[in-house]
Amino acid sequence: MLQNYFTMAWRSLLKNKGFSIINILGLSVGIAFTLLIGAYVWGELQVNHDLKDADNQYIIQSKWKDPNLGLELTTIAQLPKTLKEVYPGLVANYYHWDGVGSIVSRGDKHFRESIQIGDSTLLSMYGFGLAHGDAQKAFTDPFSAVITERLAIKYFGKTDVVGQTLTIESFKGDKHGFTISGVLDKLSKNSVTNVNDNNQNNIFLPAKAADFLGRTLEGWNNNVLVGYIELENGITPAQLVGPMKHLIKENAPQQTVDNLTPYLVPLKDYYREGNGGTVKKMIFTLSSIAFFILLMAIINFVNICVGRSASRMKEMGIRKVLGGLRKQLIWQFLMESVLLVMIATLIALALYLLARPYLSDALGKEITLLFAFPAYFYLFPFVFALLVGLLAGLYPALVLSSLKSVDSLKGKLSSVKESVLFRKILVGFQFGMAALVFIVSIIISQQVAYFLKGNLGFNKDYVVYSQVPRDWSAKGVKKMETIRYQLSQMPQVSSVSLSWEIPDGAGNGAQLYRQGADPKKAISMNGLATDNQYAATYGIPLKAGTFFTPQYTPGDSAKIVINESASKALGWNKPEDAVGQVVNAPGSNIPFTICGVTADFHTGSMQSQIGPLNFTNVNYTQYYRYLSVKLKPGDMQNSVTALQKQWSMLMPDAPFEYHFMDEAIAKLYTTELQLKKASYIAGVLTIVIVLLGVVGLISLSIQKRTREIGIRKVLGASVPGIINLFLKEFLGVVLIACVISCPLAYLIMHNWLNGYAYRINITGYPFLISILLLTVLTIMLITLQTIKAAVSNPVKSLRTE
C-alpha cells in the first residue's frame, strides 16, 4: 500500500511539473541557507569545547575603572602562577603567555611571525598533541620551539622537522637559532593558541626565552600578559574572587589596586562572550535571518499546497465514488507533501556543498563540511522534512477528504471555504519580511560605507605600512631614522614616518595633568609614540604649534603633542593657549612641554567618541614597530615595487610585508563587513523566495480563473484590463506589507545605529528603494504570467472543465 501511495504521489508531481518545481526550488533555497547558517553557528559554539578538562578552564579578564590603564584581555603577569602556588586547593594548573611579533628566518626565507612565549604547561593543560616530538621535553631548552604544521611546511616543506633550526631576531637586533622540539597536531580553533581572530600564533617558545627577546613573564606591575587557570573539580569562579583581590592588594602597585577588578570567564564561553560579545551578536543576527528565510520558504510551500488543494475536489469525488476510503485519501495527500519536501531537502544538501565556500568567504569563517558533523545531525533535515510535509499536507488531507462525493464531483466550494484573507496575510508577511531585510541591508551598507569613506580626521589614501626589525635602543632608533630618511628621498614617496602605532585602534594608556595641579586629577588618554613626520604622513591637521621639530633634536624628547580633546580636558579652550604649557605624568618627575595641538581624528572604531590623545617622540620612548610610507598619486603598483626594491637594499633580512592603510581601517569593522555581506545574501534569497511564491500563486489563480478570463474577453474585456485584474489582487497586499515593515525596520536599525558614536542619519532612501524594487518586480512577474492567459483564444478558455 505504501508503495502505491508513493507511486501515485510521484505521478501527481510529474503531472504538475510547474508547481512542483516552484515549490521545491523555493523550499530548497530556504533549507540550504538555514543549514549553512546552522553549520556556522554549530562551528562557533564548538570553539574551546574540545580542550582537555574544558569545564574547568578559565581565562582571567581585567575590568579597569580607567580603560586607559590596561586591557580587558590581559591580566597581571604574576597572578596566575601565584594563585596556583598560594591556593593549590582551588587552582589545579595555570598558563600565561606574552605575544610578540619578530622576524623568523631560515636560509633566504624571512617572515614576520606571531610568537607566543609561555609556560611549559601549554601541552599538558589543554591536551594539545604533537605530531612530532616529545611533549615532556618540548620546552626544557630555553632555545627550543614548538611550531604548527602550517609553519613547518612554510619553512621546510614538510612536517617532520624536529631537530631543525629557525633563527629568531630579538628586540635588540640580536639573532639566535631555536631548535624545533615539537610540531603540533592540527589544532581545532581555540582561545589559547589563537586568543582572537587577529592573533594567530604559530611559534611557541618556553618562558626562559623571554630573556633573549627582552620580555618578562613576571612582575606585579606587568599587566600585558594573557593568563589562564584551571580550577579543581567542584570549584566555582566565585571562590576565586576573594583570593585574587587579596593577592593584588598585597602585591600590586596602588594605582592597580584602586582601578583593577579581575574576573574569570569560562573558556567554553569566552569565544562568544569576549570582545564585547561580537560573536554572540553575529550568531543571534544570522540565526534570526535564517529563521525568517526558512519561515518564508515554508509559508510559500504551504500557501501553494493549500491553493492547489481546491483544484483537486473532483479527483477526490471520483476516488470516493470508486470506493476510496478517507484514510487512504489522507495518506495520499500527506505522502505527496512529504515527498515534495524530501526532494527539496536533498536538493538543499547539494546546494549546501556548492554554496559553502562562498558563504565561508563572506563570513570570514570556515563553515563545517557537510560530512564532518556527528552522525545524529543527519536525522534533523529529514525529521524537518517530515514535519513540514505533514504541516503542508494537513489542510487538504483532512478537509478535502471529508467532502461529500456529490459536492466534490460538482466542484462546489461551499464546504471548502478558501481562506483568502489568511492566504493574503501569509503573502503580506513574506513581502513585509522581504522589504525589512532589504531596508536593513541598505542601511548597514550605508553605515559601513560611512566608516570606510567618511572623514576620519586624517588622510589614509596612498599610505602603506610595514613592520620593521627592532633594536629598541638609541642606536636602533637612529638607524631606523636614517633608513626612514633614505626611503623618503625616493621620487615615488611623499613622506615616511617611524612609530610604535598606526591609527588602527592601537595605543598605550597615559595620564597627564597640568604642572602644579593635583596628580590625582590627571586626565586619562591614549598615547602614541611617533617621530616628527607622523602628522605629515597621515595628513593630521595642526590647530596650533608644531609637530615636534622638522629635524630631531634632543629637546624633542621633552616635548609632547596633544589633540584638541586633550587640550580642552586639561583646561585650555583654545589650542594656542596650550602651546608652551608644561604637563606631567603621575609618578614621573619628567615634565613635558606642549609644542603642538592637532585636530581631533579617529584612531580607532567609530563606535567610540574621539578622546584625549598625546604624542611622545619615538626617540624618547625608543619603542617602534612600523614605517608608514605616504606614496605620491600615480601608478601604485610601480611605486610599491620600487619601494620594495629599496627596502630590500636597506634591510635585506627584513620582509617587506606591506599593507595599505585602508586594510587596517577595514579590520576595525570586520563584524560590520561580515554582517553587510550576510544581509546582502539574505536580501537576495528573501526576494527570490517571495517572487517564487508570487509565481506559484499567480499561476494557481490563473488556472482557477481560466473560464472567468474567457467570459470577460467575450464580454469585451481588454488585455490590460485582465492584467490589471490580477495586479489588484497582489499590489495592495504588497504595499500594505511594505508600509507595515517600514516602521519596524526603522526601529531595528535605529537601535543598531545607537551602538555607534558616529553614525549615519536614517533617510527615506532605503525605504523608497525597497518598496519600489518589490513593487516593480511583482508587477513584472504578474504581467508576464497573465499576459499569456489574457491574449489566448477565449473559446479554449470556455471549454475548460
Side-chain angles (χ1 to χ4, degrees):
M1 184 60 74
L2 190 63
Q3 182 181 357
N4 181 58
Y5 290 146
F6 180 82
T7 302
M8 295 299 294
W10 184 252
R11 287 176 180 172
S12 178
L13 298 186
L14 292 178
K15 182 182 177 182
N16 301 279
K17 294 186 183 71
F19 295 119
S20 299
I21 290 171
I22 291 170
N23 241 2
I24 289 170
L25 184 59
L27 189 58
S28 61
V29 168
I31 294 172
F33 184 73
T34 304
L35 288 175
L36 285 164
I37 296 301
Y40 161 80
V41 171
W42 184 80
E44 296 293 86
L45 294 177
Q46 297 308 302
V47 174
N48 294 330
H49 279 238
D50 58 353
L51 296 175
K52 181 182 175 183
D53 296 321
D55 290 329
N56 293 332
Q57 302 292 356
Y58 292 82
I59 182 170
I60 304 175
Q61 299 281 270
S62 300
K63 184 177 181 181
W64 296 89
K65 290 181 182 178
D66 181 352
N68 288 307
L69 293 180
L71 301 174
E72 186 177 21
L73 171 65
T74 58
T75 187
I76 298 174
Q78 205 68 29
L79 186 58
K81 180 180 180 181
T82 308
L83 282 170
K84 165 62 178 167
E85 293 173 346
V86 179
Y87 301 98
L90 301 178
V91 179
N93 214 337
Y94 74 95
Y95 176 70
H96 71 317
W97 58 268
D98 187 12
V100 299
S102 189
I103 296 174
V104 178
S105 57
R106 177 181 179 266
D108 60 350
K109 294 181 179 180
H110 307 278
F111 299 98
R112 180 167 295 280
E113 304 289 354
S114 294
I115 301 171
Q116 193 173 110
I117 313 166
D119 301 303
S120 59
T121 53
L122 171 66
L123 302 178
S124 60
M125 185 167 161
Y126 300 106
F128 297 140
L130 293 181
H132 306 283
D134 185 350
Q136 300 294 326
K137 301 177 181 178
F139 293 110
T140 54
D141 184 346
F143 293 102
S144 61
V146 173
I147 63 174
T148 61
E149 288 186 334
R150 187 193 70 81
L151 196 86
I153 293 172
K154 179 178 179 179
Y155 283 91
F156 301 96
K158 58 181 181 178
T159 60
D160 187 6
V161 294
V162 173
Q164 300 283 350
T165 301
L166 288 174
T167 300
I168 300 177
E169 185 174 331
S170 76
F171 298 152
K172 296 179 181 178
D174 300 329
K175 297 180 181 179
H176 200 287
F178 282 73
T179 303
I180 299 171
S181 56
V183 179
L184 287 162
D185 276 330
K186 187 173 182 180
L187 297 172
S188 300
K189 192 170 182 179
N190 66 83
S191 298
V192 180
T193 62
N194 183 21
V195 72
N196 57 51
D197 289 338
N198 297 321
N199 200 348
Q200 175 67 58
N201 295 297
N202 296 302
I203 300 177
F204 303 87
L205 304 181
K208 294 179 181 177
D211 293 336
F212 166 73
L213 286 164
R215 309 291 284 183
T216 177
L217 271 63
E218 299 178 351
W220 287 98
N221 59 350
N222 179 2
N223 59 9
V224 295
L225 269 66
V226 184
Y228 306 83
I229 57 173
E230 178 185 335
L231 300 186
E232 293 284 1
N233 291 329
I235 301 301
T236 65
Q239 293 175 262
L240 268 291
V241 172
M244 286 193 294
K245 287 183 177 179
H246 172 74
L247 291 176
I248 292 173
K249 186 176 181 180
E250 291 293 317
N251 300 283
Q254 190 60 44
Q255 187 182 45
T256 301
V257 175
D258 294 339
N259 282 276
L260 174 62
T261 301
Y263 63 99
L264 301 182
V265 176
L267 268 186
K268 290 179 74 171
D269 300 333
Y270 171 74
Y271 177 72
R272 299 189 306 276
E273 304 290 344
N275 299 314
T278 53
V279 172
K280 185 178 180 180
K281 292 174 185 175
M282 183 64 94
I283 288 174
F284 175 78
T285 303
L286 292 179
S287 298
S288 300
I289 291 172
F291 171 76
F292 282 112
I293 285 180
L294 181 61
L295 184 60
M296 290 172 63
I298 293 173
I299 287 173
N300 252 359
F301 185 82
V302 173
N303 218 356
I304 293 176
C305 284
V306 171
R308 284 191 58 229
S309 63
S311 65
R312 301 184 63 182
M313 282 186 296
K314 284 189 176 181
E315 177 191 338
M316 295 301 100
I318 293 171
R319 285 175 179 271
K320 282 190 172 186
V321 169
L322 295 175
L325 300 177
R326 188 185 181 197
K327 67 176 183 180
Q328 292 175 327
L329 299 177
I330 291 173
W331 274 108
Q332 183 64 50
F333 273 109
L334 293 179
M335 179 61 74
E336 288 179 21
S337 182
V338 169
L339 180 60
L340 266 176
V341 185
M342 286 292 183
I343 294 171
T345 303
L346 291 174
I347 294 174
L349 294 176
L351 290 175
Y352 181 102
L353 294 173
L354 294 173
R356 188 189 69 86
Y358 300 102
L359 194 61
S360 295
D361 181 62
L363 297 176
K365 303 286 175 69
E366 186 68 21
I367 293 178
T368 309
L369 292 167
L370 184 58
F371 303 106
F373 294 99
Y376 63 85
F377 265 58
Y378 300 102
L379 293 174
F380 293 151
F382 296 100
V383 171
F384 164 81
L386 182 62
L387 291 175
V388 174
L390 293 175
L391 174 67
L394 207 56
Y395 171 81
L398 295 179
V399 179
L400 292 185
S401 63
S402 68
L403 290 175
K404 293 179 181 179
S405 302
V406 176
D407 290 338
S408 298
L409 287 169
K410 288 181 179 179
K412 286 186 176 180
L413 295 174
S414 58
S415 57
V416 186
K417 299 289 185 181
E418 285 193 284
S419 181
V420 177
L421 178 62
F422 177 67
R423 287 179 59 199
K424 283 188 175 181
I425 290 173
L426 292 181
V427 172
F429 173 80
Q430 288 182 301
F431 275 108
M433 286 307 305
L436 187 146
V437 171
F438 208 71
I439 291 166
V440 165
S441 301
I442 294 174
I443 294 176
I444 290 174
S445 178
Q446 288 178 324
Q447 180 67 11
V448 172
Y450 177 70
F451 289 153
L452 301 179
K453 298 179 181 179
N455 183 14
L456 298 172
F458 68 93
N459 190 349
K460 59 182 173 56
D461 298 336
Y462 307 114
V463 176
V464 298
Y465 65 92
S466 181
Q467 295 201 36
V468 294
R470 301 172 193 175
D471 178 1
W472 290 343
S473 64
K475 179 183 175 183
V477 174
K478 186 176 181 179
K479 178 181 176 182
M480 290 310 306
E481 289 263 284
T482 302
I483 292 173
R484 181 203 65 74
Y485 175 77
Q486 290 173 301
L487 291 174
S488 70
Q489 298 305 299
M490 294 177 60
Q492 299 86 355
V493 173
S494 177
S495 63
V496 185
S497 175
L498 177 69
S499 64
W500 173 254
E501 299 93 351
I502 57 174
D504 66 343
N508 291 299
Q511 288 185 309
L512 292 177
Y513 62 94
R514 292 173 64 163
Q515 191 172 50
D518 185 357
K520 293 181 180 179
K521 295 182 179 180
I523 304 300
S524 295
M525 59 185 68
N526 194 16
L528 306 182
T530 72
D531 66 1
N532 55 10
Q533 296 300 309
Y534 195 82
T537 302
Y538 284 101
I540 302 170
L542 275 172
K543 289 288 185 176
T546 61
F547 201 87
F548 301 112
T549 55
Q551 295 294 328
Y552 171 75
T553 62
D556 284 347
S557 294
K559 293 178 181 178
I560 196 167
V561 179
I562 60 176
N563 70 348
E564 201 168 1
S565 289
S567 174
K568 291 177 181 178
L570 288 166
W572 297 293
N573 292 324
K574 295 181 179 179
E576 51 269 23
D577 293 340
V579 175
Q581 300 290 340
V582 178
V583 291
N584 291 82
S588 173
N589 295 322
I590 302 175
F592 290 99
T593 301
I594 298 172
C595 64
V597 178
T598 71
D600 286 341
F601 65 97
H602 292 280
T603 58
S605 168
M606 289 189 183
Q607 283 180 304
S608 305
Q609 289 278 355
I610 296 176
L613 173 74
N614 74 73
F615 304 83
T616 49
N617 198 286
V618 72
N619 289 273
Y620 167 73
T621 62
Q622 296 182 359
Y623 292 132
Y624 57 86
R625 284 186 296 181
Y626 298 104
L627 276 176
S628 301
V629 182
K630 179 82 168 181
L631 298 173
K632 293 178 181 177
D635 189 334
M636 284 295 103
Q637 188 59 53
N638 286 338
S639 295
V640 170
T641 301
L643 180 61
Q644 185 171 18
K645 183 177 179 180
Q646 183 72 353
W647 182 289
S648 298
M649 290 176 58
L650 297 173
M651 296 174 284
D653 294 337
F656 182 56
E657 298 172 342
Y658 73 92
H659 301 277
F660 279 91
M661 196 60 210
D662 300 74
E663 299 173 46
I665 299 300
K667 283 183 180 179
L668 294 173
Y669 307 107
T670 300
T671 301
E672 287 81 1
L673 287 167
Q674 291 171 353
L675 188 58
K676 174 186 172 183
K677 291 178 182 178
S679 67
Y680 277 173
I681 293 170
V684 171
L685 292 179
T686 301
I687 291 175
V688 167
I689 291 171
V690 167
L691 297 182
L692 281 173
V694 170
V695 170
L697 291 173
I698 287 292
S699 299
L700 279 172
S701 185
I702 291 171
Q703 189 182 70
K704 290 177 185 178
R705 301 174 70 175
T706 304
R707 258 192 172 182
E708 179 191 339
I709 293 170
I711 293 170
R712 284 178 180 272
K713 289 198 72 177
V714 169
L715 294 176
S718 64
V719 172
I722 293 172
I723 293 173
N724 190 49
L725 185 70
F726 289 94
L727 286 175
K728 286 179 181 178
E729 186 176 345
F730 282 91
L731 283 185
V733 176
V734 172
L735 293 174
I736 291 171
C738 289
V739 168
I740 292 173
S741 67
C742 284
L744 182 60
Y746 178 86
L747 290 173
I748 291 171
M749 295 317 295
H750 179 74
N751 184 59
W752 181 71
L753 289 170
N754 280 341
Y756 299 96
Y758 302 91
R759 43 164 288 183
I760 61 168
N761 293 317
I762 300 178
T763 65
Y765 169 78
F767 303 93
L768 288 174
I769 289 294
S770 301
I771 294 173
L772 283 174
L773 178 69
L774 286 172
T775 304
V776 169
L777 288 175
T778 304
I779 290 173
M780 289 174 61
L781 277 177
I782 293 174
T783 302
L784 288 172
Q785 285 190 268
T786 56
I787 197 168
K788 182 180 179 182
V791 299
S792 63
N793 191 333
V795 176
K796 291 183 180 180
S797 302
L798 292 171
R799 282 177 178 174
T800 58
E801 304 181 7

